[in-house]
Amino acid sequence: RITLGHLLKLYANGKTFPSYINSIRLENVCQLLTTTNDSISDIAEKVGLMQHNLHRIFKAQYGLTPKQYRESKLPASSKPKQ
């Protein structure tokens, strides 16, 4: 008999179920931030998070806000000049 706990040990590197789900969500957020012009609130909705939760979880994981992450991934020619 396979339990959720057993599956998490095999596939989630010992993470809890919520943190495993959030890591998948964050992977999707990163992909959307770099491949679309969708707003942060639209991206949060697409991955199943509220915007304030996305900011909190994203910053805890990457040390940047989603906006800062997106800006850091823009090609040099796309960055606004200062």
Side-chain angles (χ1 to χ4, degrees):
R1 185 170 156 216
I2 297 175
T3 65
L4 178 58
H6 180 72
L7 288 175
L8 286 173
K9 284 181 184 175
L10 289 174
Y11 298 105
N13 298 321
K15 294 179 182 176
T16 64
F17 184 70
S19 55
Y20 177 66
I21 295 300
N22 283 337
S23 68
I24 292 170
R25 286 175 167 155
L26 290 178
E27 288 175 19
N28 290 330
V29 169
C30 289
Q31 192 255 341
L32 291 168
L33 287 170
T34 57
T35 61
T36 72
N37 291 322
D38 294 350
S39 70
I40 305 298
S41 59
D42 286 346
I43 290 173
E45 186 176 327
K46 285 180 182 180
V47 300
L49 290 169
M50 300 201 54
Q51 186 174 352
H52 66 276
N53 287 335
L54 171 60
H55 280 271
R56 181 180 52 78
I57 295 167
F58 197 94
K59 188 155 188 173
Q61 178 69 33
Y62 297 108
L64 300 168
T65 66
K67 181 180 178 183
Q68 291 168 331
Y69 180 87
R70 175 180 266 167
E71 289 171 350
S72 76
K73 299 298 181 181
L74 287 174
S77 60
S78 298
K79 291 184 180 177
K81 296 183 181 177
Q82 299 183 1

